[in-house]
Amino acid sequence: MTDKKITVEQTGSAIGRPERQSRTLLGLGLTRIGRRRTLEDTPAVRGMIAKVAHLVKIVDEK
């Protein structure tokens, strides 16, 4: 496993978005605007962030 971490913050609402995007946010552990999560920096997580890039921002990479 990798020891690299990435912190993402939700900046946009899932209301009115396609169900696929809402579920991607849930998969990242983001449920409301302003919520932050620190996740392992894996290709799968990076792909999920890319799918909802307009709703999240990367706060910190370590």
Side-chain angles (χ1 to χ4, degrees):
M1 291 207 122
T2 179
D3 57 349
K4 294 180 93 178
K5 300 284 184 187
I6 186 168
T7 301
V8 293
E9 179 180 349
Q10 185 173 345
T11 58
S13 173
I15 296 172
R17 303 288 178 180
E19 186 177 351
R20 177 176 226 145
Q21 292 177 9
S22 299
R23 289 186 179 211
T24 301
L25 286 173
L26 286 175
L28 289 170
L30 301 170
T31 56
R32 64 182 69 171
I33 294 175
R35 179 136 315 162
R36 291 182 180 195
R37 290 281 301 197
T38 301
L39 307 162
E40 289 197 29
D41 192 2
T42 63
V45 170
R46 286 285 183 162
M48 292 171 75
I49 292 170
K51 291 293 183 181
V52 291
H54 56 291
L55 299 175
V56 299
K57 69 177 179 179
I58 296 174
V59 178
D60 190 27
E61 295 182 60
K62 291 184 180 183

